[in-house]
Structures are given as C-alpha cells and as structure tokens.
Amino acid sequence: MPVWFFAFLIAVAVLAYPAARRLVLRVEITAPQRGYAVAVRAGCFDCHGPDGAGGVANPGSKDGEVPGFTGGTLMMFVKSDAELREYIVDGAPARKRNDPRYRQAMARQLLAMPAYRGYLGSAEIDDLLAYLRVVSGLIVPADAVVARGQELALALNCFHCHGPMGAGGGANPGSFKGYVPGWWGDDFRDLVRDDDELRAWIRDGTLPRLREHPIARYFIEGQRVYMPAYKDFIGDTDLDALVRYVNWVHAGDWRDQPLDLGH
C-alpha cells in the first residue's frame, strides 16, 4: 500500500478525532461557550478587557475607559436586549446613532465600538448575545432564596470553574470529558441525580456512588481541577440556597427572561 495512503489515513484520523470524541463522549458546548469563542475571534476582549471585565483606557471618552460586560455595567448603556444586539450589529442602538450629541461624543474618543454587520453571522450573534447575557450580572432570580444562592455562587467563585451562570467550565486535564462540567444539560443530569447528591457535591466535593465506582474513581483521581468541599465554610441555610439556585439555573426558564436593566 502506498505511503501516501497511510499519510492520508493518519490525516483523516487526526482531523476526525475531535468530532468523534465529541460524539462518543457527548461533549457539551453551550451557546455562551460558543459566544465566548466568537468574542475572542471578533477581538471583543482587545477593547473590553479580559473576559469583558473592562479597564482598557479610552482617551477622550466620558469615563476614560472602554466599559466591560460584567458587574451590571450593561445597564448603563442599553435599554433592552434588542439594543444589546444593535450594539453588536451596528455599533450602537439606532436611538444613539441618530442623536447628534452621541455622534459628537464618539468623535471625541479614541476608541469606538465597531459594527459587525456583515462580519458575524446570525448564529454567531445569537451565541455572543447568550455569552453577554450570562456574564452581565443582570439576570436576577425573583425568588429571594434563589437570589441569595446566586450571591453565594458569585462570592464562592463557583463561576470561575463552572463558567458564567454554570454555562460550562474550562479545561480540566485528566477528567473524563476534559473540562469542568456546567449546570445546564446532560453533564449535570449524569452527575446529579437529586438534591441530596447536589448537596453532597457542594458540602463534600465528591459523591459516594462515583467515588466507589472504579472507572469514575480513576478519572476523579486523575483530574487536575477538583470540586472543593464547602462544609466548613457555609451553613445549612446557605447550602439550601445554593442548591435552589443551581436547580433554577438548570431548569433554564430564565433564558427567556429580559435583562434586569433597572429601567
């Protein structure tokens, strides 16, 4: 058999491996995770700061820097989710683009928001919007206990590993799927069968049924990022609030909830 044919087979195997791996392991990639990748490709973080945290200087602007996406900052610039889309597509909402004072203010500052119309497809824009929504800090639970759980998740840095609003985390070498699982889909359902198991994960950082399973234990012991045990840091009331919040996120009804813009 010709050498070129072996080279061809190797090339096909290398190219097909990621897709095959995703299919076999049921790797989950949520819309916000795809949106983050869009933000990277589109250069959003070049101006809006790492992960959209802000802080990039913008001489001539009112605040002296490019605003971030996080910490409720978006509420100062948009009046609706539709306007957030307009910022991406046209660089600003129509009400601002049609305002001479806004155009003059933009002309004075060094950096301006670019328009991505014609550069990003509709699916990419939808994914980018999904990312902006979950990092905005403007999706607020109506229930007080669930809202307390959200505050705790933020204070305990749950999102640093599990992704914004549990949309899926970063790489975790040695783990079964290679990443920290989120709270949205099948990964969560595989790892959490009921509220008692969710409490065990938060309280103890592990689960008996997985720790006692030889294959699961192999990956748990081999992974580099571990679930911390919070039993010495939060009481039962806060634990219940976290459980309520994670379940609220997993249920997903909030995905159609408008941003809490305070208007």
Side-chain angles (χ1 to χ4, degrees):
M1 192 172 293
V3 174
W4 66 263
F5 185 73
F6 282 109
F8 172 76
L9 291 178
I10 292 172
V12 169
V14 169
L15 293 173
Y17 171 73
R21 178 181 178 277
R22 287 194 296 269
L23 180 64
V24 172
L25 295 182
R26 293 185 297 130
V27 170
E28 289 187 345
I29 303 175
T30 64
Q33 288 177 304
R34 295 193 301 268
Y36 179 86
V38 172
V40 172
R41 295 197 302 271
C44 300
F45 302 137
D46 295 346
C47 292
H48 291 283
D51 294 345
V56 176
N58 189 9
S61 65
K62 178 182 176 181
D63 299 315
E65 62 182 35
V66 178
F69 307 145
T70 61
T73 307
L74 291 177
M75 71 184 300
M76 296 187 292
F77 298 91
V78 302
K79 291 187 175 182
S80 67
D81 289 65
E83 285 200 349
L84 186 55
R85 181 182 291 272
E86 285 186 88
Y87 263 109
I88 298 170
V89 175
D90 297 315
R95 66 175 176 87
K96 290 193 172 185
R97 300 197 313 274
N98 296 330
D99 185 342
R101 293 170 300 177
Y102 177 79
R103 294 199 298 269
Q104 291 170 4
M106 291 300 101
R108 287 193 296 268
Q109 64 187 41
L110 183 63
L111 301 175
M113 175 68 190
Y116 284 95
R117 184 184 295 276
Y119 291 89
L120 295 178
S122 59
E124 291 177 306
I125 292 172
D126 288 344
D127 288 340
L128 183 53
L129 281 169
Y131 172 71
L132 293 175
R133 279 174 54 81
V134 298
V135 300
S136 70
L138 297 173
I139 300 177
V140 182
D143 184 277
V145 175
V146 178
R148 171 58 181 164
Q150 185 180 55
E151 293 174 359
L152 287 165
L154 183 62
L156 296 171
N157 292 320
C158 300
F159 303 137
H160 283 261
C161 288
H162 292 286
M165 284 195 72
N172 187 7
S175 65
F176 180 58
K177 292 190 178 183
Y179 56 83
V180 178
W183 306 336
W184 289 32
D186 289 336
D187 285 344
F188 182 85
R189 287 185 284 269
D190 289 342
L191 295 169
V192 180
R193 291 179 176 174
D194 52 39
D195 285 355
D196 287 338
E197 288 199 347
L198 182 51
R199 287 189 182 89
W201 274 118
I202 299 171
R203 184 182 58 243
D204 305 319
T206 186
L207 204 61
R209 72 173 172 87
L210 296 181
R211 192 175 60 248
E212 294 164 4
H213 191 285
I215 297 177
R217 186 172 64 246
Y218 170 82
F219 286 104
I220 290 173
E221 293 176 352
Q223 66 189 16
R224 296 300 87 198
V225 180
Y226 295 90
M227 174 69 188
Y230 288 98
K231 60 185 176 184
D232 295 329
F233 300 93
I234 60 173
D236 290 340
T237 300
D238 283 345
L239 178 59
D240 288 341
L242 267 174
V243 168
R244 288 275 300 276
Y245 173 67
V246 173
N247 281 329
W248 178 79
V249 170
H250 180 67
D253 295 340
W254 56 268
R255 298 187 200 186
D256 296 322
Q257 176 179 322
L259 295 177
D260 184 1
L261 296 167
H263 302 138

